[in-house]
């Protein structure tokens, strides 16, 4: 299906090119994470904490009384909205729309979530409250991983980039399901019913082929507010709202979904995710030695990301190819596939987010989880880059 781009799409594309393409988003994340770590560890820890966790003098939403909550519950709802748009597009008109094409990414993503979770539980244990962190190493950060691939240029075949993107999208869908099912507090019934009514209104707009964007945005904002107050994490509203946005062309000849996606992706990559990273990556290292890194939570998260991701995904690729379930990506060597599997261990954004949900009333455990995420992601990015930088492409097939 060919859908013409709206003027906003062109602006977004040009903005992305101006910012330096795919690699720059990953580089920016590295910079803000490093900056947060430096600020917290050079004597400005109190100021950093007050900036994000100090109570605001005024807030239009009572539940969001700190800058950190506005970033994690409001701005990240926009992040999840864009993720939802990408997932819907891929399912209806992309790599996940064809059963044969989605076999390998779905299998790889499932293994890449299951094995890290098992490694975490083996290290951290299944007792309270440690077991709540099992999903922290299960997520892949698209911006970071694709950013590293972007630094490698044409050394990596296009099929690997597509495979990584598709696995990460399925991974995100799994992470959203995990958040909704396992990290939801007690639901407040009236707010939940109100959210369902608004969701019904959005579905009705879609079914009636209404293409008036302000109507969707008004109901979507109401849906977010109701879910925020219902006990379900507010970011779930972003994904649910995205699934109601029409992909089909309007009478004007453009797609509302594509228009929103292309317009919001640069803001996601260069504003929302970096702000989230800066607000959540600051970990005070004072007093944390090797013994601190060997505590159950940071060790379990780091090993889950670094070993679990590459073992699960690479094993899934090998098994799928060997038994004929789905062939490996064309034009990629086994070493390149291993390197790409290692890169999937970069779990920055979603892992930090799940870490905060896993230990909501134990800030010291959240800090330990952050340390594990940063360590596992750092090691995965270094090793993945080195493997792909040194790997040789498979020889081109000779004509008969």
């Amino acid at each position: 299906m060919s859908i013409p781009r709206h003027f906003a799409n062109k602006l977004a594309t040009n903005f992305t090119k101006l910012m330096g393409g795919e690699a720059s988003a990953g580089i920016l994340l590295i910079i803000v994470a490093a900056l947060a770590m430096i600020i917290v560890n050079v004597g400005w820890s109190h100021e950093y904490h007050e900036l994000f966790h100090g109570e605001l003098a005024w807030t239009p939403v009572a539940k969001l009384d700190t800058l950190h909550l506005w970033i994690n519950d409001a701005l990240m709802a926009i992040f999840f909205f864009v993720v939802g748009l990408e997932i819907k597009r891929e399912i209806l008109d992309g790599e996940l729309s064809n059963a044969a094409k989605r076999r390998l990414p779905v299998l790889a993503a499932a293994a890449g979530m299951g094995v890290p979770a098992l490694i975490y539980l083996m290290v951290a244990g299944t007792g309270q409250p440690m077991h709540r962190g099992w999903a922290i190493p299960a997520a892949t950060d698209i911006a970071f991983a694709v950013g590293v691939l972007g630094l490698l240029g044409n050394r990596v075949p296009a099929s690997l980039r597509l495979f990584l993107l598709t696995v990460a999208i399925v991974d995100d869908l799994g992470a959203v399901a995990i958040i909704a099912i396992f990290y939801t507090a007690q639901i407040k019934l009236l707010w939940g019913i109100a959210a369902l009514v608004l969701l019904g209104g959005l579905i009705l707009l879609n079914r009636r082929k209404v293409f008036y964007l302000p109507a969707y945005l008004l109901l979507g904002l109401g849906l977010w507010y109701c879910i925020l107050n219902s006990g379900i994490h507010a970011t779930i509203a972003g994904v649910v709202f995205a699934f109601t946005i029409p992909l089909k062309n309007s009478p004007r000849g453009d797609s509302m979904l594509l228009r929103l996606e292309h317009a919001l992706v640069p803001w996601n990559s260069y504003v929302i995710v970096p702000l989230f990273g800066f607000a959540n990556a600051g970990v005070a290292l004072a007093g944390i030695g090797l013994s601190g890194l060997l505590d159950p939570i940071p060790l379990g998260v780091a090993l889950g990301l670094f070993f679990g991701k590459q073992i699960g995904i690479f094993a899934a690729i090998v098994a799928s190819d060997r038994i004929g379930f789905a062939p490996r990506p064309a034009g990629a060597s086994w070493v390149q596939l291993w390197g790409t599997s290692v890169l999937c261990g970069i779990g920055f954004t979603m892992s930090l987010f799940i870490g905060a949900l896993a230990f909501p009333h134990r800030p010291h455990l959240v800090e330990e989880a952050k340390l594990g995420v940063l360590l596992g992601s750092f090691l995965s990015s270094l090793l993945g880059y080195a493997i792909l930088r040194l790997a040789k492409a498979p020889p081109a097939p000779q004509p008969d």
Side-chain angles (χ1 to χ4, degrees), residues 2 15 21 41 60 70 81 83 126 144 184 212 251 265 287 310 325 372:
S2 176
F15 181 73
N41 288 282
W70 272 102
F81 176 66
V83 168
T126 57
F144 249 131
T184 292
Y212 185 57
V265 161
Q310 59 176 296
F325 179 73

Side-chain angles (χ1 to χ4, degrees), residues 36-117:
M37 292 286 289
I38 292 170
I39 287 174
V40 168
N41 288 282
V42 297
W44 293 342
S45 177
H46 176 73
E47 290 79 3
Y48 175 89
H49 186 273
E50 280 300 306
L51 172 64
F52 291 112
H53 297 277
E55 188 172 340
L56 297 172
W58 177 82
T59 177
V61 181
K63 286 182 71 70
L64 306 183
D65 59 356
T66 68
L67 183 57
H68 188 266
L69 287 174
W70 272 102
I71 292 171
N72 281 33
D73 288 1
L75 285 183
M76 286 301 284
I78 300 175
F79 167 82
F80 277 88
F81 176 66
V82 177
V83 168
L85 294 176
E86 292 173 347
I87 291 171
K88 180 172 180 176
R89 173 175 51 78
E90 288 293 331
I91 290 174
L92 295 182
D93 192 39
E95 289 301 307
L96 298 177
S97 63
N98 182 287
K101 288 183 178 180
R102 63 174 170 253
R103 285 178 183 171
L104 182 59
V106 169
L107 178 64
M113 298 181 78
V115 176

